[in-house]
Amino acid sequence: EVHVVESGGGLVQAGGSLRLSCAASGFTDDDYTIGWFRQAPGKEREAILSISMSSGVTFDADSVKGRFTASKDNAKNTVYLLMNSLKPEDTAIYYCAATSYTDDVRPPPTYEYDYWGQGTQVTVSS
């Protein structure tokens, strides 16, 4: 059975940085994709970044482009989300999710993600 667990959230001042981790378990190979999502109070869930564990290809949303990056450690089945130049509008619950869907041309649709973590709170103060 597949599980994903996020960690690393917290409180940070605007302009600061934070790194989140997403540990996946239960996959038998690297043919899967990890996606990062966030949901702010009163807003819809937003897909912000995905990374293929096999190819390393990433896709990121315009809202985080140039500020957030993802890296992976296949030996640990872990993906890291490094968030720089944080803004108060980045405040949200951040989720990671996993899917067996892989595509190096376009990011997996949100509905393809089958396994979700519990979320971790990121708060950016002004």
Side-chain angles (χ1 to χ4, degrees), residues 33 50-52 55 57-60 99 101-113:
T33 300
S50 65
I51 182 168
S52 167
S55 67
V57 171
T58 62
F59 297 96
D60 51 4
T99 175
Y101 181 108
T102 59
D103 190 336
D104 290 345
V105 177
R106 60 187 63 82
T110 299
Y111 62 78
E112 291 285 353
Y113 288 90

PDB file of all heavy atoms in Angstrom, residues 33 50-52 55 57-60 99 101-113:
ATOM      1  N   THR A  33       5.041   9.794  -9.979  1.00  0.00           N
ATOM      2  CA  THR A  33       5.180  11.250  -9.926  1.00  0.00           C
ATOM      3  C   THR A  33       4.699  11.747  -8.571  1.00  0.00           C
ATOM      4  O   THR A  33       3.688  11.267  -8.038  1.00  0.00           O
ATOM      5  CB  THR A  33       4.349  11.923 -11.031  1.00  0.00           C
ATOM      6  OG1 THR A  33       4.801  11.471 -12.315  1.00  0.00           O
ATOM      7  CG2 THR A  33       4.462  13.442 -10.969  1.00  0.00           C
ATOM      8  N   SER A  50       5.158  19.546  -9.822  1.00  0.00           N
ATOM      9  CA  SER A  50       5.235  18.085  -9.858  1.00  0.00           C
ATOM     10  C   SER A  50       6.617  17.679 -10.332  1.00  0.00           C
ATOM     11  O   SER A  50       7.299  18.434 -11.034  1.00  0.00           O
ATOM     12  CB  SER A  50       4.163  17.505 -10.783  1.00  0.00           C
ATOM     13  OG  SER A  50       4.397  17.887 -12.132  1.00  0.00           O
ATOM     14  N   ILE A  51       7.016  16.481  -9.940  1.00  0.00           N
ATOM     15  CA  ILE A  51       8.314  15.969 -10.340  1.00  0.00           C
ATOM     16  C   ILE A  51       8.194  14.470 -10.591  1.00  0.00           C
ATOM     17  O   ILE A  51       7.604  13.740  -9.785  1.00  0.00           O
ATOM     18  CB  ILE A  51       9.408  16.272  -9.287  1.00  0.00           C
ATOM     19  CG1 ILE A  51      10.778  15.764  -9.745  1.00  0.00           C
ATOM     20  CG2 ILE A  51       9.038  15.723  -7.929  1.00  0.00           C
ATOM     21  CD1 ILE A  51      11.935  16.275  -8.888  1.00  0.00           C
ATOM     22  N   SER A  52       8.757  14.042 -11.706  1.00  0.00           N
ATOM     23  CA  SER A  52       8.785  12.620 -12.023  1.00  0.00           C
ATOM     24  C   SER A  52       9.954  11.970 -11.301  1.00  0.00           C
ATOM     25  O   SER A  52      11.090  12.437 -11.406  1.00  0.00           O
ATOM     26  CB  SER A  52       8.945  12.423 -13.540  1.00  0.00           C
ATOM     27  OG  SER A  52       9.280  11.087 -13.833  1.00  0.00           O
ATOM     28  N   SER A  55      12.363  10.404 -14.295  1.00  0.00           N
ATOM     29  CA  SER A  55      13.109  11.287 -15.195  1.00  0.00           C
ATOM     30  C   SER A  55      13.592  12.568 -14.529  1.00  0.00           C
ATOM     31  O   SER A  55      14.516  13.219 -15.021  1.00  0.00           O
ATOM     32  CB  SER A  55      12.237  11.671 -16.389  1.00  0.00           C
ATOM     33  OG  SER A  55      11.159  12.492 -15.979  1.00  0.00           O
ATOM     34  N   VAL A  57      11.879  15.230 -14.463  1.00  0.00           N
ATOM     35  CA  VAL A  57      11.221  16.358 -15.116  1.00  0.00           C
ATOM     36  C   VAL A  57      10.216  16.993 -14.158  1.00  0.00           C
ATOM     37  O   VAL A  57       9.445  16.302 -13.498  1.00  0.00           O
ATOM     38  CB  VAL A  57      10.515  15.892 -16.401  1.00  0.00           C
ATOM     39  CG1 VAL A  57       9.644  17.007 -16.977  1.00  0.00           C
ATOM     40  CG2 VAL A  57      11.549  15.456 -17.425  1.00  0.00           C
ATOM     41  N   THR A  58      10.266  18.310 -14.101  1.00  0.00           N
ATOM     42  CA  THR A  58       9.361  19.041 -13.211  1.00  0.00           C
ATOM     43  C   THR A  58       8.474  19.989 -14.003  1.00  0.00           C
ATOM     44  O   THR A  58       8.828  20.439 -15.097  1.00  0.00           O
ATOM     45  CB  THR A  58      10.144  19.852 -12.170  1.00  0.00           C
ATOM     46  OG1 THR A  58      10.960  20.824 -12.840  1.00  0.00           O
ATOM     47  CG2 THR A  58      11.029  18.959 -11.326  1.00  0.00           C
ATOM     48  N   PHE A  59       7.332  20.272 -13.433  1.00  0.00           N
ATOM     49  CA  PHE A  59       6.422  21.287 -13.949  1.00  0.00           C
ATOM     50  C   PHE A  59       6.024  22.170 -12.778  1.00  0.00           C
ATOM     51  O   PHE A  59       5.741  21.663 -11.696  1.00  0.00           O
ATOM     52  CB  PHE A  59       5.176  20.651 -14.571  1.00  0.00           C
ATOM     53  CG  PHE A  59       5.468  19.798 -15.759  1.00  0.00           C
ATOM     54  CD1 PHE A  59       5.622  18.424 -15.621  1.00  0.00           C
ATOM     55  CD2 PHE A  59       5.592  20.346 -17.021  1.00  0.00           C
ATOM     56  CE1 PHE A  59       5.904  17.624 -16.712  1.00  0.00           C
ATOM     57  CE2 PHE A  59       5.868  19.557 -18.127  1.00  0.00           C
ATOM     58  CZ  PHE A  59       6.029  18.192 -17.972  1.00  0.00           C
ATOM     59  N   ASP A  60       6.022  23.481 -12.991  1.00  0.00           N
ATOM     60  CA  ASP A  60       5.621  24.357 -11.895  1.00  0.00           C
ATOM     61  C   ASP A  60       4.611  25.393 -12.372  1.00  0.00           C
ATOM     62  O   ASP A  60       4.595  25.792 -13.536  1.00  0.00           O
ATOM     63  CB  ASP A  60       6.829  25.034 -11.242  1.00  0.00           C
ATOM     64  CG  ASP A  60       7.752  25.706 -12.241  1.00  0.00           C
ATOM     65  OD1 ASP A  60       7.418  25.709 -13.447  1.00  0.00           O
ATOM     66  OD2 ASP A  60       8.792  26.233 -11.826  1.00  0.00           O
ATOM     67  N   THR A  99       1.198   9.605  -7.751  1.00  0.00           N
ATOM     68  CA  THR A  99       0.456   8.933  -8.803  1.00  0.00           C
ATOM     69  C   THR A  99       1.400   8.074  -9.619  1.00  0.00           C
ATOM     70  O   THR A  99       2.573   8.428  -9.798  1.00  0.00           O
ATOM     71  CB  THR A  99      -0.243   9.939  -9.727  1.00  0.00           C
ATOM     72  OG1 THR A  99      -0.867   9.239 -10.818  1.00  0.00           O
ATOM     73  CG2 THR A  99       0.740  10.939 -10.327  1.00  0.00           C
ATOM     74  N   TYR A 101       0.965   7.741 -12.685  1.00  0.00           N
ATOM     75  CA  TYR A 101       0.940   8.426 -13.977  1.00  0.00           C
ATOM     76  C   TYR A 101       2.249   9.190 -14.136  1.00  0.00           C
ATOM     77  O   TYR A 101       2.612   9.992 -13.277  1.00  0.00           O
ATOM     78  CB  TYR A 101      -0.248   9.376 -14.006  1.00  0.00           C
ATOM     79  CG  TYR A 101      -0.451  10.153 -15.287  1.00  0.00           C
ATOM     80  CD1 TYR A 101      -1.495   9.844 -16.147  1.00  0.00           C
ATOM     81  CD2 TYR A 101       0.375  11.225 -15.622  1.00  0.00           C
ATOM     82  CE1 TYR A 101      -1.712  10.570 -17.304  1.00  0.00           C
ATOM     83  CE2 TYR A 101       0.164  11.956 -16.771  1.00  0.00           C
ATOM     84  CZ  TYR A 101      -0.884  11.623 -17.610  1.00  0.00           C
ATOM     85  OH  TYR A 101      -1.087  12.353 -18.756  1.00  0.00           O
ATOM     86  N   THR A 102       2.954   8.959 -15.237  1.00  0.00           N
ATOM     87  CA  THR A 102       4.167   9.715 -15.522  1.00  0.00           C
ATOM     88  C   THR A 102       4.089  10.272 -16.945  1.00  0.00           C
ATOM     89  O   THR A 102       3.605   9.607 -17.849  1.00  0.00           O
ATOM     90  CB  THR A 102       5.425   8.852 -15.389  1.00  0.00           C
ATOM     91  OG1 THR A 102       5.344   7.747 -16.287  1.00  0.00           O
ATOM     92  CG2 THR A 102       5.588   8.338 -13.962  1.00  0.00           C
ATOM     93  N   ASP A 103       4.568  11.488 -17.114  1.00  0.00           N
ATOM     94  CA  ASP A 103       4.519  12.159 -18.418  1.00  0.00           C
ATOM     95  C   ASP A 103       5.565  13.258 -18.414  1.00  0.00           C
ATOM     96  O   ASP A 103       5.539  14.116 -17.540  1.00  0.00           O
ATOM     97  CB  ASP A 103       3.118  12.743 -18.655  1.00  0.00           C
ATOM     98  CG  ASP A 103       2.918  13.228 -20.082  1.00  0.00           C
ATOM     99  OD1 ASP A 103       3.905  13.546 -20.767  1.00  0.00           O
ATOM    100  OD2 ASP A 103       1.751  13.306 -20.513  1.00  0.00           O
ATOM    101  N   ASP A 104       6.481  13.211 -19.348  1.00  0.00           N
ATOM    102  CA  ASP A 104       7.521  14.222 -19.412  1.00  0.00           C
ATOM    103  C   ASP A 104       7.136  15.408 -20.301  1.00  0.00           C
ATOM    104  O   ASP A 104       7.958  16.310 -20.516  1.00  0.00           O
ATOM    105  CB  ASP A 104       8.820  13.612 -19.923  1.00  0.00           C
ATOM    106  CG  ASP A 104       9.461  12.676 -18.913  1.00  0.00           C
ATOM    107  OD1 ASP A 104       9.058  12.719 -17.727  1.00  0.00           O
ATOM    108  OD2 ASP A 104      10.352  11.904 -19.293  1.00  0.00           O
ATOM    109  N   VAL A 105       5.917  15.397 -20.789  1.00  0.00           N
ATOM    110  CA  VAL A 105       5.466  16.478 -21.673  1.00  0.00           C
ATOM    111  C   VAL A 105       4.522  17.445 -20.959  1.00  0.00           C
ATOM    112  O   VAL A 105       4.546  18.660 -21.193  1.00  0.00           O
ATOM    113  CB  VAL A 105       4.774  15.897 -22.925  1.00  0.00           C
ATOM    114  CG1 VAL A 105       4.234  17.020 -23.807  1.00  0.00           C
ATOM    115  CG2 VAL A 105       5.754  15.024 -23.701  1.00  0.00           C
ATOM    116  N   ARG A 106       3.714  16.899 -20.072  1.00  0.00           N
ATOM    117  CA  ARG A 106       2.761  17.741 -19.335  1.00  0.00           C
ATOM    118  C   ARG A 106       2.569  17.179 -17.937  1.00  0.00           C
ATOM    119  O   ARG A 106       2.789  15.991 -17.716  1.00  0.00           O
ATOM    120  CB  ARG A 106       1.423  17.799 -20.067  1.00  0.00           C
ATOM    121  CG  ARG A 106       0.752  16.461 -20.255  1.00  0.00           C
ATOM    122  CD  ARG A 106      -0.488  16.582 -21.140  1.00  0.00           C
ATOM    123  NE  ARG A 106      -0.196  17.021 -22.480  1.00  0.00           N
ATOM    124  CZ  ARG A 106       0.231  16.236 -23.462  1.00  0.00           C
ATOM    125  NH1 ARG A 106       0.408  14.949 -23.228  1.00  0.00           N
ATOM    126  NH2 ARG A 106       0.453  16.725 -24.656  1.00  0.00           N
ATOM    127  N   PRO A 107       2.182  18.032 -16.987  1.00  0.00           N
ATOM    128  CA  PRO A 107       2.000  17.544 -15.622  1.00  0.00           C
ATOM    129  C   PRO A 107       0.781  16.641 -15.516  1.00  0.00           C
ATOM    130  O   PRO A 107      -0.186  16.818 -16.253  1.00  0.00           O
ATOM    131  CB  PRO A 107       1.815  18.828 -14.804  1.00  0.00           C
ATOM    132  CG  PRO A 107       1.295  19.825 -15.788  1.00  0.00           C
ATOM    133  CD  PRO A 107       1.943  19.490 -17.081  1.00  0.00           C
ATOM    134  N   PRO A 108       0.818  15.692 -14.623  1.00  0.00           N
ATOM    135  CA  PRO A 108      -0.360  14.823 -14.433  1.00  0.00           C
ATOM    136  C   PRO A 108      -1.567  15.635 -13.995  1.00  0.00           C
ATOM    137  O   PRO A 108      -1.437  16.551 -13.179  1.00  0.00           O
ATOM    138  CB  PRO A 108       0.076  13.854 -13.338  1.00  0.00           C
ATOM    139  CG  PRO A 108       1.574  13.894 -13.356  1.00  0.00           C
ATOM    140  CD  PRO A 108       1.922  15.275 -13.752  1.00  0.00           C
ATOM    141  N   PRO A 109      -2.726  15.318 -14.524  1.00  0.00           N
ATOM    142  CA  PRO A 109      -3.941  15.981 -14.020  1.00  0.00           C
ATOM    143  C   PRO A 109      -4.146  15.661 -12.549  1.00  0.00           C
ATOM    144  O   PRO A 109      -3.760  14.589 -12.077  1.00  0.00           O
ATOM    145  CB  PRO A 109      -5.063  15.354 -14.863  1.00  0.00           C
ATOM    146  CG  PRO A 109      -4.375  14.768 -16.053  1.00  0.00           C
ATOM    147  CD  PRO A 109      -3.015  14.385 -15.594  1.00  0.00           C
ATOM    148  N   THR A 110      -4.742  16.580 -11.827  1.00  0.00           N
ATOM    149  CA  THR A 110      -4.944  16.382 -10.393  1.00  0.00           C
ATOM    150  C   THR A 110      -5.720  15.111 -10.101  1.00  0.00           C
ATOM    151  O   THR A 110      -5.436  14.415  -9.129  1.00  0.00           O
ATOM    152  CB  THR A 110      -5.667  17.603  -9.798  1.00  0.00           C
ATOM    153  OG1 THR A 110      -4.855  18.767  -9.999  1.00  0.00           O
ATOM    154  CG2 THR A 110      -5.914  17.420  -8.312  1.00  0.00           C
ATOM    155  N   TYR A 111      -6.690  14.780 -10.949  1.00  0.00           N
ATOM    156  CA  TYR A 111      -7.510  13.597 -10.685  1.00  0.00           C
ATOM    157  C   TYR A 111      -6.725  12.301 -10.799  1.00  0.00           C
ATOM    158  O   TYR A 111      -7.196  11.241 -10.391  1.00  0.00           O
ATOM    159  CB  TYR A 111      -8.735  13.556 -11.610  1.00  0.00           C
ATOM    160  CG  TYR A 111      -8.438  13.470 -13.089  1.00  0.00           C
ATOM    161  CD1 TYR A 111      -8.069  12.264 -13.687  1.00  0.00           C
ATOM    162  CD2 TYR A 111      -8.538  14.596 -13.898  1.00  0.00           C
ATOM    163  CE1 TYR A 111      -7.805  12.187 -15.043  1.00  0.00           C
ATOM    164  CE2 TYR A 111      -8.271  14.528 -15.259  1.00  0.00           C
ATOM    165  CZ  TYR A 111      -7.900  13.321 -15.822  1.00  0.00           C
ATOM    166  OH  TYR A 111      -7.629  13.251 -17.176  1.00  0.00           O
ATOM    167  N   GLU A 112      -5.511  12.369 -11.336  1.00  0.00           N
ATOM    168  CA  GLU A 112      -4.704  11.158 -11.442  1.00  0.00           C
ATOM    169  C   GLU A 112      -4.004  10.798 -10.127  1.00  0.00           C
ATOM    170  O   GLU A 112      -3.500   9.705  -9.972  1.00  0.00           O
ATOM    171  CB  GLU A 112      -3.644  11.321 -12.537  1.00  0.00           C
ATOM    172  CG  GLU A 112      -4.199  11.363 -13.956  1.00  0.00           C
ATOM    173  CD  GLU A 112      -4.632   9.989 -14.436  1.00  0.00           C
ATOM    174  OE1 GLU A 112      -4.389   8.988 -13.735  1.00  0.00           O
ATOM    175  OE2 GLU A 112      -5.236   9.914 -15.538  1.00  0.00           O
ATOM    176  N   TYR A 113      -3.973  11.745  -9.207  1.00  0.00           N
ATOM    177  CA  TYR A 113      -3.278  11.493  -7.945  1.00  0.00           C
ATOM    178  C   TYR A 113      -4.170  10.665  -7.013  1.00  0.00           C
ATOM    179  O   TYR A 113      -5.250  11.092  -6.630  1.00  0.00           O
ATOM    180  CB  TYR A 113      -2.882  12.800  -7.272  1.00  0.00           C
ATOM    181  CG  TYR A 113      -1.742  13.493  -7.982  1.00  0.00           C
ATOM    182  CD1 TYR A 113      -1.984  14.409  -9.002  1.00  0.00           C
ATOM    183  CD2 TYR A 113      -0.416  13.211  -7.642  1.00  0.00           C
ATOM    184  CE1 TYR A 113      -0.931  15.040  -9.674  1.00  0.00           C
ATOM    185  CE2 TYR A 113       0.634  13.834  -8.299  1.00  0.00           C
ATOM    186  CZ  TYR A 113       0.367  14.746  -9.316  1.00  0.00           C
ATOM    187  OH  TYR A 113       1.403  15.355  -9.970  1.00  0.00           O
TER     188      TYR A 113
END
